Structures are given as C-alpha cells and as structure tokens.
Amino acid sequence: MTGAPSAGPASALYLGVDAGNSKTAALVSNTSGEVVGAGRSGCGDIYGAPTPEDAVAEVLAAVREALDQAGADVTAVRGAAFRLAGIDWPEDQEYWDAALSRRFPDALRRRSILNDGYAAIRCGSPGGVGISVTGGTAAAIAARGHGGELWDMGWWGQHEMGAVGLANEAFRAVFLAELGLGPRTALTAALLAHYDKPTTEALNHWLTRRQEQASVRERTSCARVVTAVAAGGDPVAVDIVRDQGHRFAQYAGVAARRTGLVGEGRPVSVVLSGSVLMAKDSPVAEALLSQLPAHVPGAVPLSSSLPPVTGALLDALGEGGVALADAAVADATVEKVTRTLPPDEFLAT
C-alpha cells in the first residue's frame, strides 16, 4: 500500500492475518478500520510448508512488513486475529500459540487463532455470525453461531471440492472414457487442448509420472475449462459441477447444525468466496445455491468481493471491542477498511 498514513507507535492498532498455501497476507488498521499497513509473504500453512517453522517464518514476515509500513511496533497492537490454514486440530492451535508467545512474549496477548475458513464470515456478515463457504483451489467451510459456537470442516471433508475436485473428477471421467468404463465426454478434447497434449495417455503420463509431473497449480488450472464444458451442456461435466455444488451445500448444512444456526427461525448468512464460487456465472455456485435451502433453512447467500484477510482484520476489531454487531458501526468500519485496502494486485493469488 503506497502512501498510507503512519499510525504512530502510540496508536491503538489491530492486526488481521490470513495464511494459506499460496500466500500469507497481513493488514494493520486503526480503531476506525483505516488500513495503515499491509504485508505479504509465502505459505503459512504448517501442513503445506516444507516445515512448520517455515510457515511461522512466513507469517511473521508478513506481520513485520505490515507493522513496518504502519510505522509501529507490535506493542501497539491492541487485538490480533490469526486465520491460518492448517489450524485443524487442538495441537495445531497450541503450536501457533506457543510460536507467537516465543516471538512476542510481551505483546499480542489479545489474540485469537483459528482456521482460515473463518476469515470470510465477516466479509459478508460483519457481525461475525454465519457460515463461510470458500471454493478456491480447495474448499474451506466454517461457521460461528449466535452463542459463539464454532465449527470448521478441516479434515472432516471427505470429498475433494474446489478447483482440485473439479480437476480430479474431470481427469477421472476422461480416463474412464478412454478405457471404455465411462461415457464419452467433451472433457477429453477440452482438456487435451488446454494442456496441449496429443492423447489421453500423454495427459495421464504427465499427471502421474515419477519425475517432472504436473504441479498442483497446473493440475487445477483446468477448473474453468470443466465449468465451461458443463455450461456447454456436456452431461458428464454437468454431473461433476452439480455434485460439487451439492457437496458444498451438504457441508454448509453440517456447519449450520454444529453451531446451532438451524432451528432458530432466524436468517442465516452464508458467505460465498473463492475463485470457483465467485467466477462470473459460476455453475458450481448455481448448483450450490439451488441445494442450499434444503440443507440450511433460512439461508441468505452473500457474495464477498473482499479478500479474506479483510475478514481477519474485522475479527481483530470486533474481538478487540469495536461494536461490529451495531449495523451503523459495522457499515462505517467496513467502508473505511474497503476504501483503504492495498491495490488488488497486492492481495491477488
């Protein structure tokens, strides 16, 4: 962020961190929500980084950059929210708590550490109650109830979703068709063209060979191809997309039940985010929305154009005493945060 006003070391600041496999982002704001510092680094997932210590180093690098840009010391941070991929079990949370305590023994004492799935909730529901359904490279689903109940999918997800799910289901369909064990599909020609491979055998070899096989990013790059083929009416691709949407809705239903959001008779905010669900005319989002009422009665779908780190920052503000449950306060704070965010390219994956 260029030209951000200095917060000054004595100012009360709030820190939000969103860490995933592709990047870690950190934002620092003052009490009004004005973003005064931003930082970015690499993989902050203790399951995805070469070592857990590497993930910690990346998260701390983003925090340092954001604070340096704010012209402030960590002791000025009144509240911090760490929303980190790989917070899936109690020991993961304990690991991060210990790591932060070692690095900041006299600061960041008011902090929360949760799975990154929670970050998107306040991007659409500033009060912090509701469900987030993120479909990006993979899937993250989390919910917070009116009584503070928390649930996130973590390792409970038994289906591949997001771009990974679309890609792997499409590969399976193409290879089964080649073997005569599945119906012919337009996905075959589409994927061969996308990856510039002459045959399905060449594609299979590239995806599975021992050396120089396709990276995760290369494998998942075909997600938009799969949805485009589905939009063209190919029955196999249509089934893949519909199954994806149904699975997202099913897990959102689990999140609603586990946090007491079902049966209250109140509207339930369901915030959609991630490249797969936010793509223009996304057939996966369409399939999800068609199934959602059956699994989350009273669901109110909301699409978020804000980056998840914004939700982490709003969590820090809300947990630090800013009355985001008050609609007027929430609106003013979100407007201030949105207006002072760093450029889109800074937070792009």
Side-chain angles (χ1 to χ4, degrees):
M1 195 174 62
T2 303
S6 172
S11 301
L13 298 178
Y14 297 85
L15 168 68
V17 180
D18 173 60
N21 279 271
S22 60
K23 71 177 184 302
T24 296
L27 295 178
V28 171
S29 81
N30 59 26
T31 303
S32 73
E34 179 185 8
V35 177
V36 294
R40 175 175 173 141
S41 58
C43 174
D45 180 353
I46 56 176
Y47 285 85
T51 69
E53 292 79 10
D54 288 327
V56 172
E58 294 294 344
V59 168
L60 295 180
V63 170
R64 282 195 301 271
E65 183 180 347
L67 287 169
D68 287 347
Q69 193 176 89
D73 184 80
V74 68
T75 56
V77 176
R78 178 176 294 176
F82 291 84
R83 301 295 177 257
L84 313 173
I87 303 291
D88 297 318
W89 298 112
E91 61 266 30
D92 301 324
Q93 195 171 47
E94 292 163 5
Y95 176 86
W96 274 104
D97 192 56
L100 293 172
S101 294
R102 285 194 302 272
R103 178 61 181 83
F104 305 114
D106 300 316
L108 295 186
R109 292 183 177 178
R110 176 176 279 183
R111 63 176 181 247
S112 63
I113 304 169
L114 294 172
N115 182 273
D116 62 330
Y118 291 96
I121 295 177
R122 288 193 198 259
C123 290
S125 180
V129 174
I131 304 168
S132 71
V133 179
T134 303
T137 300
I141 296 174
R144 182 184 290 111
H146 290 279
E149 304 91 341
L150 299 174
W151 186 86
D152 57 89
M153 184 171 68
W155 291 106
W156 289 107
Q158 299 302 303
H159 301 90
E160 292 180 324
M161 294 185 288
V164 170
L166 289 169
N168 287 345
E169 290 296 329
F171 296 142
R172 181 177 295 112
V174 167
F175 299 148
L176 287 174
E178 173 67 18
L179 296 173
L181 299 177
R184 297 181 65 178
T185 170
L187 286 168
T188 300
L191 293 189
L192 293 180
H194 175 72
Y195 290 114
D196 193 24
K197 300 298 178 185
T199 64
T200 53
E201 181 176 356
L203 176 61
N204 196 359
H205 182 211
W206 178 62
L207 293 171
T208 61
R209 63 194 182 195
R210 183 167 47 86
Q211 295 177 324
E212 298 181 355
Q213 66 176 236
S215 66
V216 172
R217 184 180 291 273
E218 288 170 324
R219 290 179 67 95
T220 58
S221 68
C222 71
R224 292 182 186 272
V225 175
V226 178
T227 56
V229 174
D234 177 74
V236 173
V238 167
D239 284 346
I240 290 172
V241 164
R242 285 177 178 168
D243 285 346
Q244 284 275 307
H246 187 202
R247 289 168 184 168
F248 275 115
Q250 285 180 311
Y251 285 106
V254 174
R257 293 190 295 274
R258 293 297 178 96
T259 54
L261 291 171
V262 168
E264 291 189 324
R266 290 192 267 187
V268 181
S269 296
V270 181
V271 183
L272 308 186
S273 64
S275 57
V276 168
L277 295 179
M278 297 303 294
K280 188 177 185 299
D281 299 323
S282 167
V284 179
E286 181 181 349
L288 162 61
L289 295 176
S290 72
Q291 295 284 332
L292 193 59
H295 296 278
V296 184
V300 179
L302 303 167
S303 296
S304 172
S305 59
L306 295 173
V309 68
T310 305
L313 178 60
L314 291 170
D315 270 346
L317 288 159
E319 293 166 2
V322 177
L324 295 180
D326 181 293
V329 173
D331 288 347
T333 305
V334 172
E335 190 278 332
K336 182 65 72 69
V337 171
T338 302
R339 185 161 47 83
T340 55
L341 282 173
D344 291 343
E345 57 268 23
F346 182 87
L347 296 172
T349 299

